[in-house]
Structures are given as structure tokens and as C-alpha cells.
Amino acid sequence: MYQHKFLGGEIIDLPLGKVVCVGRNYLEHIQELNNEVPQEPLLFIKPNTALCDLAQPINLPKGQGSCHHELEIAILIGQRLTNSDEQSTRKSILGVGLSLDLTLREVQDRLKGQGQPWERAKSFDLSCPTSTFVPISDIPIEQNIEFSMAVNGKLTQQGNSAHMMHDILSLLVEISRTFTLLPGDIVLTGTPKGVGPLTENDDLAICLSDHFSVKTKVI
């Protein structure tokens, strides 16, 4: 079992699950990378070995080119979801947090150019630093959720769930039609514009507005 930590110190024992990620869910981020707008949510998976504590120093892979930050709203799943509807999906959510989808950008560009999957760029060990979670009772997901990240005191990413192309509930419903979501799984819901490279000794300040902030460092 794995202990998922919640704001206020509560700890819930759940299996350490997979991370299902949604790509290209904010139009301005699609435009900044000159990507095509997908006709349906773009999905990929990080294994549970990608998960680590956002509050701890972040280790970047060495010798593989630039590693970009992509800050995302993270949803912790508490009940099994297969071909779910919105009502069941809403009841399945335990908490809301933030994750970094660390991305080896040069590796990703090479793989995309060769028509290959992205796992080498997205799913390496410790590629998903994740925060504590806010209980779903304290953060209605159908309201606007604001979040931000500053690198060395400079605001780099600022997002709002209202700007998602596919909202959180509809994403979970769609994902459940392809991947069964299990208790302990985490869903990342896409990143807003402002992604960029991290370098050694960068100081990061990450905030889920009105709920928590996290300071950490790149090593």
C-alpha cells in the first residue's frame, strides 16, 4: 500500500497506481509548441515509478537534453471507473492536487519525428513530482481551479481549469472508456502555456490558489 497525503495531515492508504496524462488540453499551450489540435483527448500513461514527492528536491535526468516543466491539475481516484458516467465519476474523486509532467523535450521531438511513442521522454523514473491532495469536499471541481508556478521568482505558468478544452469530469469519463481507473490512480489534466526548461539549482514555487503552495528546488 502507498500513503497518499492530504492537506491538513490526513493520510489515506491506497495502492500506488498509474498516472494517466492528458496532452494538449489548453489551446495556448498547443499553439506555443506548434502542435495540431487533437480531435479527442490525447492520452498517455506514466508508471507508478514516475511518482515522487513534489516537496522534495527534483532530480533531472542527465545527458538527455533539456527537461521541461509542465504543471498540471492532478486528480486522485478513489473508486474503480470503467465506462463511467458523470455521476459515478464525480463520486470517485478523492482529491485534487498538482503535478509536474517532466518532459525531455529534445527526446520527445525526436520520437515524434520518427512516429514513435513518447514514453522515453515522459515516463522515466521520478518524472511526475506530485503534491499533497486537497479533499474533494474542499475544492469543487466544477468551479474554476487556478494554479501557478514561478521559477526563480518569475511567473512561468498560470492556469485555470475554465480554460481547458475538455473539463475534468468529461476527461475522466472519456478516459474510463479506454483505461479502467482504479483506486490510487492519478489523472493529470493537461498543462497551460509557459512550459520551459528547468536547470540545476532552479527554485520553484508552485501554488494551487486558495489551498496551498509548495517550494522546492532542482538538483
Side-chain angles (χ1 to χ4, degrees):
M1 302 295 284
Y2 177 79
Q3 294 185 327
H4 290 278
K5 297 178 182 178
F6 281 75
L7 201 64
E10 181 183 6
I11 295 175
I12 296 180
D13 289 330
L14 288 171
L16 182 59
K18 61 185 176 293
V19 183
V20 180
C21 305
V22 178
R24 304 181 191 176
N25 198 28
Y26 290 81
L27 183 58
E28 290 184 342
H29 171 60
I30 294 173
Q31 294 170 339
E32 76 176 340
L33 294 185
N34 297 312
N35 287 323
E36 294 183 1
V37 177
Q39 297 300 309
E40 58 185 356
L42 191 161
L43 306 179
F44 60 95
I45 288 179
K46 291 175 182 271
N48 57 20
T49 49
L51 287 165
C52 58
D53 186 352
L54 181 62
Q56 297 300 312
I58 294 172
N59 287 276
L60 299 183
K62 303 297 190 291
Q64 298 192 63
S66 61
C67 185
H68 282 207
H69 59 78
E70 297 189 7
L71 183 65
E72 312 196 12
I73 295 172
I75 305 297
L76 178 62
I77 302 299
Q79 297 179 21
R80 181 187 179 99
L81 290 177
T82 302
N83 293 316
S84 183
D85 55 28
E86 286 204 358
Q87 182 177 4
S88 299
T89 297
R90 187 181 291 104
K91 293 178 180 179
S92 78
I93 300 172
L94 282 182
V96 178
L98 294 174
S99 291
L100 285 175
D101 170 17
L102 297 180
T103 303
L104 295 169
R105 189 67 71 200
E106 293 164 33
V107 174
Q108 184 188 35
D109 289 344
R110 172 174 56 81
L111 293 170
K112 286 166 62 177
Q114 297 172 348
Q116 296 183 11
W118 300 352
E119 275 76 7
R120 290 179 183 272
K122 290 276 194 179
S123 303
F124 53 89
D125 288 352
L126 309 181
S127 63
C128 192
T130 297
S131 72
T132 57
F133 289 91
V134 178
I136 192 60
S137 58
D138 296 339
I139 183 168
I141 61 165
E142 291 164 318
Q143 296 181 10
N144 296 350
I145 302 173
E146 296 183 351
F147 58 105
S148 63
M149 173 175 172
V151 179
N152 300 324
K154 181 180 179 181
L155 183 66
T156 56
Q157 288 194 270
Q158 190 166 28
N160 189 310
S161 59
H163 300 151
M164 291 179 176
M165 296 171 62
H166 306 278
D167 64 63
I168 292 171
L169 278 180
S170 66
L171 281 175
L172 297 180
V173 169
E174 176 70 18
I175 290 167
S176 78
R177 294 171 180 165
T178 301
F179 308 114
T180 293
L181 293 171
L182 299 173
D185 285 351
I186 294 172
V187 174
L188 304 193
T189 55
T191 194
K193 70 175 182 178
V195 303
L198 294 173
T199 58
E200 188 175 340
N201 295 320
D202 278 346
D203 291 309
L204 311 183
I206 294 168
C207 177
L208 183 63
S209 297
D210 300 324
H211 294 283
F212 66 75
S213 59
V214 178
K215 291 186 177 180
T216 188
K217 193 176 188 70
V218 179
I219 59 174

